[in-house]
């Protein structure tokens, strides 16, 4: 199991830093976020240490979403976001992969989202489609 001595979330996994744990199994830990955007804001993390999504083995990633689903249901929220940031420019602060479960009870609490949609056209989309498909 990959882990990093300097990583704050690896310390939480080991119990060296306390947390309000909501769920734990051999691959996943979930706990309350210490600076919540709304009531019930929680983090679901793989026990495998990696900074970005692309570094985490599929079997560890597969174990994450069912836990996020349980937490979302437990909060009772009808509206919520699942958020996973990769890299500082994408608002990642803690460099251990984590999925946020963020209830959205109203317009002011929870996640605020900017959505700067760009214009494109069918030719550009077609070329991009070919490129990405060829690399998958
Ligand atoms: P990011 O911006 O990296 O996606 O979000 C990191 C999240 O981790 C933040 O929401 C922050 O409040 C949370 N966080 C950072 N340090 C701790 C900690 O020591 N304990 C807990 N429970 N949450 C933390
Ligand atoms: Zn870590």
């Amino acid at each position: 199991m990959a882990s990093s001595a300097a990583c704050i979330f690896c310390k939480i996994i080991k119990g060296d830093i306390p947390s309000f744990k909501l769920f734990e199994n051999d691959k996943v830990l979930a706990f309350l976020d210490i600076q919540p955007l709304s009531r019930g804001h929680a983090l679901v993390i793989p026990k495998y240490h990696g900074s970005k999504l692309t570094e985490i083995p599929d079997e560890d990633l597969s174990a994450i979403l069912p836990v996020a689903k349980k937490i979302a249901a437990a909060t009772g929220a009808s509206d919520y976001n699942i958020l996973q940031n990769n890299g500082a420019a994408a608002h990642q602060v803690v460099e251990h992969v984590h999925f946020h479960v963020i209830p959205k009870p109203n317009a002011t609490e929870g996640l605020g989202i900017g959505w700067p949609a760009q214009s494109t056209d069918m030719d550009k989309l077609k070329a991009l489609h070919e490129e990405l498909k060829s690399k998958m």
Side-chain angles (χ1 to χ4, degrees):
M1 170 85 51
S3 76
S4 160
C7 171
I8 195 166
F9 285 179
C10 284
K11 288 180 183 166
I12 286 177
I13 291 165
K14 281 193 223 145
D16 293 347
I17 292 177
S19 68
F20 289 104
K21 293 182 183 176
L22 293 167
F23 180 90
E24 183 166 19
N25 65 18
D26 60 326
K27 292 198 180 305
V28 178
L29 177 67
F31 51 96
L32 289 176
D33 196 295
I34 206 168
Q35 289 187 296
L37 297 184
S38 59
R39 179 188 171 276
H41 182 173
L43 301 171
V44 187
I45 68 173
K47 288 190 171 176
Y48 186 103
H49 174 86
S51 175
K52 294 185 177 172
L53 191 69
T54 43
E55 296 165 29
I56 308 299
D58 287 354
E59 60 266 30
D60 297 270
L61 286 180
S62 306
I64 298 270
L65 276 185
V67 179
K69 178 180 163 182
K70 277 186 215 302
I71 293 170
T75 66
S78 61
D79 295 35
Y80 50 90
N81 295 97
I82 306 297
L83 176 70
Q84 199 270 312
N85 299 325
N86 296 273
H91 207 286
Q92 183 180 18
V93 175
V94 177
E95 293 183 342
H96 180 128
V97 163
H98 49 281
F99 289 70
H100 295 259
V101 180
I102 313 171
K104 183 70 181 168
N106 54 51
T108 53
E109 296 175 88
L111 184 66
I113 303 179
W115 199 271
Q118 301 185 348
S119 58
T120 186
D121 59 47
M122 289 306 142
D123 290 339
K124 285 184 190 158
L125 284 176
K126 184 170 186 296
L128 176 62
H129 179 237
E130 299 290 327
E131 181 195 329
L132 294 181
K133 262 201 322 181
S134 73
K135 292 176 180 169
M136 287 174 72

